[in-house]
């Protein structure tokens, strides 16, 4: 990855960390899950309003490192309005990219803005920071009451 692109990616992460999108509790949420990443101490609550198999609204609250927060912010702005199955497919792809299972440019580009996290594959300890929001969202879809741990 060239330095300019890396710089751009870093800016996207910094921006979402500083001004997180959908950082609130939505009143009409009908799905909820708590996520925890003990390796880093990231804690996220994900609120989802599902309607007819579609993500009508999604938000998050919590505290954590820049990567976990930026990932939750980007995820929420990207999956809002998508059918649940599509969000699940996106998660599988995202997971494959950040763990280095998918490395070809074409596949990574398909992730759009989410591609900013492709670089975490070089830092195995940060993979869980980037995926915490996603794991928690998937748990919220299933409306599991218990907390989610990445361990
Ligand atoms: Zn973290």
């Amino acid at each position: 990855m060239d330095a300019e692109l890396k710089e751009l990616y870093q800016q996207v992460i910094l921006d979402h960390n500083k001004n997180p999108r959908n950082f609130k509790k939505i009143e009409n949420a009908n799905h909820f899950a708590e996520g925890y990443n003990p390796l880093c101490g990231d804690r996220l609550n994900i609120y989802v309003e599902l309607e007819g198999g579609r993500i009508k609204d999604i938000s998050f609250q919590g505290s954590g490192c820049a990567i976990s927060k930026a990932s939750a912010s980007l995820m929420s702005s990207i999956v809002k309005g998508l059918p649940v199955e599509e969000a699940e497919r996106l998660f599988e792809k995202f997971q494959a990219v950040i763990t280095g299972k998918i490395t070809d440019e074409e596949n990574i580009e398909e992730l759009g803005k989410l591609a900013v996290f492709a670089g975490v594959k070089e830092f195995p300890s940060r993979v869980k920071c980037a995926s915490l929001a996603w794991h928690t969202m998937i748990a919220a879809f299933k409306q599991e009451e218990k907390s989610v741990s990445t361990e």
Side-chain angles (χ1 to χ4, degrees), residues 1-147:
M1 194 189 295
D2 61 67
E4 213 172 302
L5 196 60
K6 225 168 194 168
E7 172 76 26
L8 175 76
Y9 282 0
Q10 240 157 34
Q11 276 172 15
V12 172
I13 291 175
L14 286 176
D15 171 45
H16 276 267
N17 180 51
K18 208 172 162 192
N19 305 299
R21 321 299 196 269
N22 308 302
F23 189 73
K24 61 186 175 191
K25 183 180 176 181
I26 45 177
E27 294 308 319
N28 296 327
N30 48 18
H31 289 255
F32 165 78
E34 286 176 2
Y36 176 49
N37 171 18
L39 281 182
C40 179
D42 310 314
R43 285 183 187 277
L44 289 175
N45 290 344
I46 303 273
Y47 304 91
V48 189
E49 183 185 358
L50 291 184
E51 197 181 81
R54 206 168 263 276
I55 302 164
K56 195 178 172 198
D57 205 359
I58 180 165
S59 69
F60 76 102
Q61 281 188 321
S63 61
C65 66
I67 291 180
S68 67
K69 214 163 145 188
S71 180
S73 172
L74 253 179
M75 179 192 80
S76 67
S77 51
I78 282 168
V79 302
K80 201 187 274 193
L82 290 183
V84 167
E85 302 87 77
E86 213 168 300
E88 284 170 345
R89 265 200 301 276
L90 208 53
F91 165 62
E92 278 167 32
K93 198 156 193 183
F94 180 73
Q95 183 76 3
V97 166
I98 63 172
T99 53
K101 290 194 183 90
I102 291 180
T103 52
D104 62 293
E105 294 289 327
E106 201 176 306
N107 254 309
I108 292 172
E109 272 170 30
E110 272 178 47
L111 282 177
K113 274 192 167 179
L114 291 173
V116 299
F117 294 101
V120 304
K121 65 173 180 286
E122 292 163 40
F123 309 96
S125 64
R126 308 319 293 271
V127 167
K128 286 177 176 177
C129 300
S131 64
L132 179 64
W134 290 85
H135 282 293
T136 310
M137 174 182 74
I138 299 296
F141 289 161
K142 293 170 186 148
Q143 211 162 7
E144 288 170 0
E145 297 285 311
K146 59 182 191 311
S147 302

